[in-house]
Amino acid sequence: MDVAEILSHHILDHHWGYSLGGVELPITTHTVTLLSVSVIMLIGLYWISKGGASTLKRLLTAGAEEYVTFIRDGMVLPNMGTEGKSFLPYFCTLFLFILLTNLAGLIPNMKTATSNISVNAALALCSGGLIVYCGLKFHGIIGFLKGFIPSGTPGWLVPLIFPLEVISLIIKVCVLALRLFANMLAGHMVLISLLLMIFIIGQLSAVAGVGAAIPAMGLEIFMTCLELLVAFLQAYVFTLLTAIFAGSVIHTH
Amino acid sequence: MPLGPFTKQEHLEIATLGLQLAVSQTLGVLAGWWLDRHFNSLPWFTLLGAAAGFAAGMYMVVTGARKAQAAAAENLNNKKADK
């Protein structure tokens, strides 16, 4: 049994090999997951927004209102102030998109697109763009650039501090992508490794394999529950940190 | 909900500092290594990148810690004022 091959098959993206007139179509397991999540979000949220008299519709509408209030009062307003209100739709979309993509990975035959660094890099780029846009919108180009220099910095230190502050912002955005990537990838690697443990021990002796199945499955259930928590936590952390960084650009000291 | 002298947001920012140090150093080394391969000058840019990455990482940790310290002092003062 080639453990490395099974691990890579479980974790890496797979090209479906469709082409149109000789042009390879970018249809992979991750893009299909991303598109599914996007379509579900678009149709689902549109359906909820239409409202209705049925109990389910009213329940979903109340849930959606609660969700928006949670993002507004828990993340946007405390960190960005009232200036952040206009960016509320971005944060609501970001949290729900990351959450649903993370959760999609727990459905059998679906893949965790957030365990692909390219997907997370795109999300982080969007957040980075928002942070820069906030700075430019509220302070203008000169004010935004001035914000990189902490107050009280001696003039001779400015050429050193300015690039360091710019690099800090870039690294903060990179860290957003890497944290989500590492957490989601590691969780799924642990899940498949626990399952593989049964077969690895089973190769030594069938009885030992059956014996290993019981603790392995117990750990598997525990890890799946933990992954469920991580899915929520990482979506929360990504959104909250974006709000914190955007807030620090808006309210420079 | 305040957790100790820090708020939830401050805790999250402090928890990010370690990762920022690691990522800045890694990115510095990778950028230096890429430049070295481009200019065929191994190991000079890699060393420079490592040093620059380390400097940037330490700068972020020190400024982050100072910011956290100031926030903790402010939170404690606010608590005292509330009492």
Side-chain angles (χ1 to χ4, degrees):
Chain A
M1 187 173 62
D2 191 347
V3 175
E5 195 188 322
I6 295 169
L7 263 176
S8 61
H9 181 269
H10 179 72
I11 286 157
L12 296 180
D13 201 7
H14 300 288
H15 205 286
W16 288 20
Y18 291 119
S19 59
L20 189 72
V23 179
E24 283 266 313
L25 292 176
I27 300 175
T28 68
T29 42
H30 284 170
T31 52
V32 168
T33 308
L34 286 172
L35 280 173
S36 314
V37 168
S38 307
V39 168
I40 287 168
M41 269 177 73
L42 274 174
I43 296 173
L45 291 175
Y46 177 73
W47 185 67
I48 292 169
S49 73
K50 295 296 275 181
S54 68
T55 314
L56 177 70
K57 267 282 182 73
R58 276 187 296 161
L59 202 70
L60 286 172
T61 310
E65 281 171 7
E66 243 347 277
Y67 166 70
V68 174
T69 312
F70 159 70
I71 299 285
R72 189 192 64 189
D73 296 345
M75 295 188 198
V76 177
L77 289 183
N79 296 301
M80 297 173 74
T82 46
E83 293 95 334
K85 265 188 182 173
S86 54
F87 302 107
L88 185 62
Y90 173 75
F91 288 99
C92 289
T93 312
L94 185 70
F95 183 90
L96 201 61
F97 183 74
I98 296 174
L99 176 66
L100 290 182
T101 316
N102 289 348
L103 290 177
L106 294 174
I107 300 169
N109 287 325
M110 296 272 281
K111 291 274 181 180
T112 319
T114 40
S115 66
N116 184 332
I117 189 69
S118 309
V119 174
N120 299 347
L123 287 170
L125 266 180
C126 291
S127 288
L130 177 100
I131 294 165
V132 173
Y133 177 72
C134 280
L136 292 174
K137 186 184 177 187
F138 293 105
H139 303 292
I141 294 176
I142 304 292
F144 175 58
L145 293 177
K146 269 187 184 170
F148 283 111
I149 304 158
S151 57
T153 308
W156 61 273
L157 262 180
V158 170
L160 190 69
I161 296 291
F162 183 77
L164 277 175
E165 283 285 341
V166 174
I167 291 170
S168 298
L169 183 66
I170 295 167
I171 286 167
K172 278 175 184 172
V173 174
C174 290
V175 166
L176 277 181
L178 274 170
R179 182 188 298 103
L180 184 59
F181 164 70
N183 275 286
M184 299 320 295
L185 185 74
H188 282 265
M189 279 184 87
V190 171
L191 281 178
I192 189 72
S193 302
L194 283 171
L195 269 185
L196 282 175
M197 228 168 65
I198 302 170
F199 300 102
I200 292 167
I201 296 172
Q203 273 185 336
L204 303 173
S205 140
V207 181
V210 172
I214 299 159
M217 287 315 291
L219 282 169
E220 188 79 13
I221 292 166
F222 169 73
M223 276 308 297
T224 307
C225 294
L226 198 67
E227 274 297 286
L228 205 63
L229 173 74
V230 168
F232 279 90
L233 195 68
Q234 287 309 313
Y236 180 73
V237 166
F238 195 103
T239 317
L240 185 59
L241 278 175
T242 305
I244 290 172
F245 296 152
S248 68
V249 169
I250 294 172
H251 306 117
T252 48
H253 297 293
Chain B
M1 184 184 69
L3 305 158
F6 299 113
T7 60
K8 184 175 58 184
Q9 282 88 342
E10 284 150 11
H11 269 287
L12 199 57
E13 278 190 274
I14 295 164
T16 309
L17 292 178
L19 198 57
Q20 283 176 357
L21 179 65
V23 169
S24 66
Q25 187 137 25
T26 311
L27 286 182
V29 169
L30 287 177
W33 183 64
W34 182 81
L35 282 172
D36 268 335
R37 277 203 336 173
H38 195 72
F39 294 111
N40 204 18
S41 57
L42 205 76
W44 300 111
F45 279 118
T46 307
L47 288 173
L48 197 72
F54 183 71
M58 281 312 289
Y59 175 76
M60 279 191 285
V61 170
V62 171
T63 48
R66 278 179 63 183
K67 197 178 150 194
Q69 203 175 16
E74 195 184 328
N75 291 341
L76 286 174
N77 280 341
N78 288 345
K79 258 187 194 173
K80 274 181 194 169
D82 287 343
K83 279 179 186 174

